[in-house]
Amino acid sequence: MSIKIGLLGFGTVASGMPFLLKENKDKITAASGTKLEIAKVLVKDDDEKKRLLAAGNDFNFVTNVDDILSDDDIAIVVELMGRIEPAKTFITKALEAGKHVVSANKDLIATHGKELIRLAQDKGVAFYYEAAVAGGIPILRTLANSLTSDKVTRILGVLNGTSNFMMTKMVDEGWTYEAALKKAQELGYAESDPTNDVEGIDAAYKAVILSQFGFGMTIDFDQVVHQGISSITPDDVAMAQQLGYVIKLVGSVEETPSGIFAEVSPTFLPKSHPLASVNDVMNAVFVESIGIGESMYYGPGAGQKPTATSVVADVIRIARRIKDGNVGKCFNEFIRETKIAHPDDVKSHYYFAINTADEKGKMLRLAEIFNSEDISFEQVLQQKANGEQARVVIITHSLSKSQLVNVTEKLQAVADFKLLNTFKVLGE
Amino acid sequence: MSIKIGLLGFGTVASGMPFLLKENKDKITAASGTKLEIAKVLVKDDDEKKRLLAAGNDFNFVTNVDDILSDDDIAIVVELMGRIEPAKTFITKALEAGKHVVSANKDLIATHGKELIRLAQDKGVAFYYEAAVAGGIPILRTLANSLTSDKVTRILGVLNGTSNFMMTKMVDEGWTYEAALKKAQELGYAESDPTNDVEGIDAAYKAVILSQFGFGMTIDFDQVVHQGISSITPDDVAMAQQLGYVIKLVGSVEETPSGIFAEVSPTFLPKSHPLASVNDVMNAVFVESIGIGESMYYGPGAGQKPTATSVVADVIRIARRIKDGNVGKCFNEFIRETKIAHPDDVKSHYYFAINTADEKGKMLRLAEIFNSEDISFEQVLQQKANGEQARVVIITHSLSKSQLVNVTEKLQAVADFKLLNTFKVLGE
């Protein structure tokens, strides 16, 4: 007896599955309690089918999804097509047909996960998606299974490999954003339109899913504030280093007295912070909780084999649960009423880079503006002026999002000051 | 309906459990599918009982273990006494009485785990011990549940918080071993007899357990080679830094063509290696595998709340499995025939620190000795001599344990050379 799998898509990740199923056959069979077999693979059309067969891929390729959905022998459907449609329709049909589903599709799960999870529950089938967040890092199952006893207060994550690769070049080698992007594109890390990666959209999808597993709350994708790395200048990077920080694109989800708050933003990390050493395309999720305190989960955020490893781990769990007659368990059972934080409750230290005319009294005026919003300085650095313009860099003590909005408006209202950049700073 | 727990011992970790059960009550109840209740707590004698009650602890303290073992209402026994006896006898009796057991007792599990696991299997009950390795880091469950699809090739771990605290002081602040030990004892990190921590014994116990979860093989404790940090000198630390490394006490388990090999030893880690930034009392387990590639799990290795969090996570899993009628699953189901590696197959780069008379021809003689064992140099550094003695530091290319034994014997046989220290070096 074996458990049969239908694969939707045969791209990079999917084609890593046969490698694992072969290399780790004995271990996987023992853990599943049964053999796993890829019975059918959905591809786009006959051309793709011919190409894959010619390349030596020995699978039963089909071009009509119904060949998989109506096949009663197939118990588990693995969706690795990406994007919203037709993945959403296919997963919906698979769940409706009583099949268990594994997916790595973070966009889909972050935007339509709720209804798919509900459908899976209604049908008593499993819907797992470990690979959707931080590819090879088993963070979702860890939050669901090991941190059940703990209360998470904040999750910070380096969640996008492409932007982290770029930031590593910008920090370690002083590259400009443009040069880093060019290199990332050359290496195939960034797409020709890099918006999703560099503007924090990809990381925001992941923050949505992390909010569910870490806090039991489903924040909507458009409630996740996201700011990307394209505005970071070599000056900002140099200032960060001088002040003892490393800039990275960080996704954060935290619980405040009024609810949760999620955002993706360039963040100054103290050099000694574990996330500050996460470099190149690696990802990491740093969890703050009342029990463990601080823990971090580090690994590759993407890539064929790492992602396939997470997908196959999901498949094994389902196979085992089928065998044990215990398959209805929701991937994430931690569910609370979703409450979104009030801006007064969301607090952080901030970095402000400001250009001002190199004239007497400007620093006083600046101090007055911050003081009027009850914001105090932790570090101030005025750089040597070029005769006309002086650059002032400020790291503040903790302030709320409300204060941030107010002070930003005031600074922008004064013609003397040009607010170059504002970034979050992680306090030590 | 609630599931009742009997606690054996009410020391530091045990007394952290009520905090979690109270603070996270709703989440824990939802995850367990039932309420959890500490029904009885075994303490040593009436004096301890009086003291605990007087301190405001509101539990049903008992002084006879049979009060717990013969109580049919108690489903789960949590052993947090430490040491081998009477913990072993009590756990054995609890399993025989059909009770599920959770333990954080690494010494016991590393030395007698096999028979306790077998007994639990025979009785169809659970025996979980997540907290036994790296306290707050959920590494065992992650290896058992998430890395089932992967093949682990090597595990490297900073597994002992006390020695890591000391190494951090020795590396970052240039302290001597003696000064670091004194501070660790002042802070309560090290005991008055620090042997278990500083000589790698504690980490070796953890390596035994990691070998079971990572490789499915049970290496005996006395098959784990262990070398401690007491021989590390400020010179070694300075040399490491100059050559681009950080020294830490690292436990490693790896699979070679002939079998597995486990050891605990001071190790030169490249500064960019993720383990190199694991400082103070923090622990981390770095996993190399064919699927994920490289992943790391970081957190506190000890402490009341972190360890209690792991213990309660185990209790929740058991409670849930009781409710689901599916409780017999072994904590680690990955079991293969144990094969121990042949010394020819165990390879590493090495650091040699050698004193020699500051005379002509000594470097040639040294090179001849290494060459005669087919060992080549990666870096050589001869320090300015003091007129009489020169110090030579060598980082070799990869060599086997057999080669290491041979070259060490040859060096020791030559009166001109004094071999000061030999440490493993992690290749980049």
Side-chain angles (χ1 to χ4, degrees):
Chain A
M1 243 291 286
S2 69
I3 285 183
K4 290 189 169 55
I5 300 163
L7 273 188
L8 308 186
F10 201 72
T12 308
V13 174
S15 55
M17 285 182 61
F19 165 81
L20 286 171
L21 292 175
K22 190 176 159 227
E23 282 295 315
N24 297 335
K25 197 179 168 188
D26 293 346
K27 187 179 178 186
I28 290 173
T29 303
S32 306
T34 179
K35 278 184 190 162
L36 300 178
E37 186 191 329
I38 298 174
K40 288 178 183 170
V41 179
L42 178 72
V43 293
K44 216 172 64 184
D45 51 30
D46 285 330
D47 283 352
E48 189 181 3
K49 181 172 167 176
K50 272 181 208 155
R51 203 170 55 242
L52 288 167
L53 288 171
N57 294 287
D58 183 23
F59 291 100
N60 186 6
F61 292 106
V62 300
T63 54
N64 184 340
V65 71
D66 291 332
D67 285 345
I68 289 174
L69 298 178
S70 64
D71 185 337
D72 291 339
D73 287 343
I74 291 178
I76 303 173
V77 169
V78 177
E79 181 272 313
L80 295 167
M81 310 168 72
R83 316 219 169 197
I84 305 297
E85 285 295 353
K88 178 165 177 268
T89 302
F90 290 176
I91 290 178
T92 304
K93 284 185 178 174
L95 294 171
E96 280 170 348
K99 299 193 188 306
H100 310 288
V101 173
V102 174
S103 171
N105 193 328
K106 64 185 161 305
D107 311 27
L108 176 60
I109 293 155
T111 51
H112 297 87
K114 227 177 188 172
E115 56 190 280
L116 296 173
I117 291 163
R118 197 180 307 119
L119 178 57
Q121 288 299 99
D122 288 349
K123 293 288 172 180
V125 295
F127 178 45
Y128 291 177
Y129 40 88
E130 174 67 78
V133 176
I137 309 176
I139 183 63
L140 299 185
R141 185 156 282 117
T142 299
L143 287 168
N145 287 354
S146 293
L147 274 77
T148 35
S149 51
D150 209 344
K151 184 188 280 181
V152 175
T153 51
R154 180 160 70 167
I155 294 177
L156 300 168
V158 172
L159 299 171
N160 181 269
T162 306
S163 56
N164 199 44
F165 169 83
M166 290 170 59
M167 286 309 309
T168 303
K169 292 289 175 204
M170 289 163 71
V171 170
D172 288 356
E173 319 202 10
W175 291 16
T176 61
Y177 168 81
E178 290 73 20
L181 176 58
K182 188 156 172 284
K183 188 68 175 180
Q185 286 171 326
E186 278 169 19
L187 292 172
Y189 296 152
E191 299 181 50
S192 53
D193 175 1
T195 311
N196 267 21
D197 289 322
V198 300
E199 295 305 337
I201 296 165
D202 171 81
Y205 285 132
K206 294 165 182 167
V208 169
I209 300 172
L210 286 172
S211 73
Q212 294 164 348
F213 281 74
F215 300 89
M217 297 192 186
T218 299
I219 192 164
D220 288 340
F221 171 71
D222 49 21
Q223 290 171 315
V224 182
V225 177
H226 60 87
Q227 179 189 2
I229 61 171
S230 55
S231 67
I232 301 172
T233 67
D235 276 346
D236 295 319
V237 170
M239 277 302 103
Q241 282 190 313
Q242 200 171 328
L243 297 167
Y245 297 93
V246 172
I247 316 184
K248 291 202 173 285
L249 185 67
V250 174
S252 71
V253 191
E254 64 184 300
E255 184 162 1
T256 76
S258 53
I260 62 167
F261 178 78
E263 85 177 322
V264 177
S265 62
T267 302
F268 279 42
L269 299 167
K271 276 180 188 165
S272 60
H273 193 281
L275 282 177
S277 326
V278 176
N279 287 323
D280 300 315
V281 293
M282 300 306 273
N283 281 17
V285 181
F286 186 85
V287 179
E288 296 173 4
S289 57
I290 65 166
I292 298 178
E294 297 186 340
S295 55
M296 187 172 83
Y297 310 88
Y298 165 95
Q304 179 183 49
K305 286 178 192 171
T307 312
T309 303
S310 289
V311 169
V312 175
D314 280 351
V315 170
I316 292 172
R317 294 307 296 161
I318 293 175
R320 180 54 183 260
R321 286 184 169 275
I322 291 174
K323 192 178 163 270
D324 290 344
N326 182 30
V327 81
K329 184 176 177 291
C330 195
F331 191 24
N332 171 38
E333 295 192 316
F334 182 33
I335 296 170
R336 294 187 294 163
E337 188 195 344
T338 300
K339 288 181 186 164
I340 302 298
H342 189 280
D344 286 352
D345 285 342
V346 181
K347 288 174 185 168
S348 176
H349 302 238
Y350 281 91
Y351 158 93
F352 290 84
I354 298 162
N355 261 3
T356 172
D358 186 20
E359 292 164 9
K360 203 176 139 189
K362 291 300 173 202
M363 185 57 106
L364 172 64
R365 182 75 193 101
L366 207 53
E368 282 171 353
I369 292 175
F370 279 86
N371 195 53
S372 71
E373 290 300 325
D374 211 19
I375 298 167
S376 57
F377 297 164
E378 192 175 283
Q379 295 189 66
V380 180
L381 201 75
Q382 179 167 347
Q383 284 175 301
K384 216 171 176 178
N386 62 5
E388 290 183 357
Q389 289 279 304
R391 185 165 198 208
V392 179
V393 163
I394 296 162
I395 305 255
T396 68
H397 283 291
S398 186
L399 58 100
S400 72
K401 285 278 170 192
S402 312
Q403 287 172 293
L404 177 65
V405 167
N406 292 343
V407 80
T408 301
E409 279 175 6
K410 284 192 179 172
L411 287 169
Q412 285 167 341
V414 181
D416 289 352
F417 299 125
K418 189 177 176 220
L419 181 55
L420 301 170
N421 262 326
T422 312
F423 297 127
K424 266 171 84 170
V425 176
L426 196 67
E428 289 197 75
Chain B
M1 243 289 287
S2 68
I3 284 183
K4 291 188 169 54
I5 299 165
L7 273 189
L8 309 185
F10 202 71
T12 309
V13 174
S15 54
M17 285 182 63
F19 166 80
L20 287 171
L21 292 175
K22 189 175 161 230
E23 280 297 313
N24 297 335
K25 195 177 169 189
D26 292 347
K27 187 180 177 186
I28 290 173
T29 303
S32 307
T34 180
K35 278 185 192 163
L36 301 178
E37 186 192 328
I38 297 174
K40 289 178 184 170
V41 179
L42 177 72
V43 293
K44 217 171 63 184
D45 49 31
D46 283 331
D47 284 351
E48 189 181 3
K49 183 172 166 175
K50 272 180 209 155
R51 201 172 56 242
L52 288 167
L53 288 171
N57 293 287
D58 183 24
F59 291 101
N60 186 6
F61 291 106
V62 299
T63 54
N64 184 340
V65 70
D66 290 332
D67 285 346
I68 290 175
L69 297 179
S70 64
D71 185 337
D72 291 340
D73 286 344
I74 290 178
I76 303 174
V77 169
V78 176
E79 181 272 313
L80 294 167
M81 311 170 71
R83 317 220 169 195
I84 305 298
E85 284 296 353
K88 179 166 174 271
T89 301
F90 291 176
I91 290 179
T92 303
K93 283 185 179 175
L95 294 171
E96 278 171 349
K99 300 194 188 304
H100 311 287
V101 173
V102 173
S103 170
N105 192 328
K106 64 184 161 306
D107 310 28
L108 176 61
I109 292 154
T111 51
H112 298 87
K114 227 176 186 174
E115 56 191 281
L116 296 173
I117 292 163
R118 196 180 308 118
L119 177 58
Q121 287 299 99
D122 287 348
K123 293 287 170 182
V125 295
F127 178 46
Y128 291 175
Y129 40 89
E130 175 66 79
V133 176
I137 309 176
I139 183 63
L140 299 184
R141 186 157 280 118
T142 299
L143 286 168
N145 287 355
S146 292
L147 273 77
T148 36
S149 51
D150 207 345
K151 184 188 281 181
V152 175
T153 51
R154 181 160 67 168
I155 296 177
L156 300 168
V158 173
L159 299 171
N160 181 270
T162 307
S163 57
N164 199 44
F165 169 82
M166 291 169 58
M167 286 310 310
T168 303
K169 291 291 176 203
M170 290 162 71
V171 170
D172 287 358
E173 318 202 11
W175 290 17
T176 61
Y177 168 82
E178 289 74 20
L181 176 58
K182 186 156 174 284
K183 188 69 175 176
Q185 285 171 328
E186 278 170 23
L187 292 172
Y189 296 152
E191 300 181 51
S192 53
D193 175 0
T195 312
N196 266 20
D197 289 323
V198 300
E199 295 305 336
I201 295 166
D202 172 82
Y205 284 131
K206 294 166 181 166
V208 168
I209 301 172
L210 286 172
S211 74
Q212 294 163 347
F213 281 73
F215 300 89
M217 296 191 187
T218 300
I219 195 166
D220 288 339
F221 171 71
D222 49 22
Q223 290 170 316
V224 182
V225 178
H226 59 88
Q227 180 189 2
I229 62 170
S230 55
S231 68
I232 300 172
T233 68
D235 276 345
D236 295 321
V237 170
M239 278 300 102
Q241 282 190 313
Q242 199 169 330
L243 296 166
Y245 297 92
V246 172
I247 316 184
K248 290 200 174 288
L249 185 67
V250 174
S252 71
V253 191
E254 64 184 298
E255 184 163 0
T256 76
S258 52
I260 62 167
F261 178 78
E263 83 178 324
V264 177
S265 62
T267 302
F268 278 43
L269 298 168
K271 276 180 185 163
S272 60
H273 193 281
L275 283 178
S277 325
V278 176
N279 287 324
D280 300 317
V281 293
M282 299 305 272
N283 281 16
V285 181
F286 186 84
V287 179
E288 297 174 3
S289 58
I290 65 167
I292 297 177
E294 297 184 341
S295 55
M296 188 172 82
Y297 310 88
Y298 165 97
Q304 178 182 49
K305 286 179 190 168
T307 311
T309 304
S310 289
V311 169
V312 176
D314 280 351
V315 171
I316 292 172
R317 294 307 295 161
I318 293 175
R320 180 53 183 261
R321 286 184 169 276
I322 291 173
K323 191 178 163 270
D324 290 346
N326 181 28
V327 81
K329 185 175 177 290
C330 194
F331 192 24
N332 171 39
E333 295 192 315
F334 180 32
I335 296 170
R336 293 187 294 162
E337 189 196 340
T338 300
K339 288 180 187 166
I340 303 299
H342 189 280
D344 287 352
D345 286 343
V346 181
K347 289 174 184 166
S348 176
H349 302 238
Y350 280 91
Y351 159 92
F352 290 84
I354 298 163
N355 262 2
T356 173
D358 186 19
E359 292 165 11
K360 204 175 137 190
K362 291 300 175 204
M363 185 57 104
L364 173 64
R365 183 75 194 100
L366 206 53
E368 281 171 351
I369 291 174
F370 279 87
N371 195 53
S372 71
E373 289 302 324
D374 212 19
I375 299 167
S376 56
F377 297 164
E378 192 175 283
Q379 295 190 66
V380 179
L381 202 74
Q382 179 168 347
Q383 283 176 300
K384 217 170 174 177
N386 62 4
E388 289 182 1
Q389 290 278 304
R391 185 165 199 210
V392 180
V393 162
I394 294 162
I395 306 258
T396 68
H397 282 291
S398 185
L399 56 99
S400 72
K401 284 280 171 191
S402 312
Q403 286 174 294
L404 177 64
V405 168
N406 292 342
V407 80
T408 303
E409 280 176 4
K410 283 190 182 174
L411 287 169
Q412 286 168 340
V414 182
D416 289 352
F417 298 125
K418 189 176 178 219
L419 182 55
L420 301 170
N421 262 326
T422 312
F423 297 128
K424 267 170 82 170
V425 175
L426 196 67
E428 288 197 76

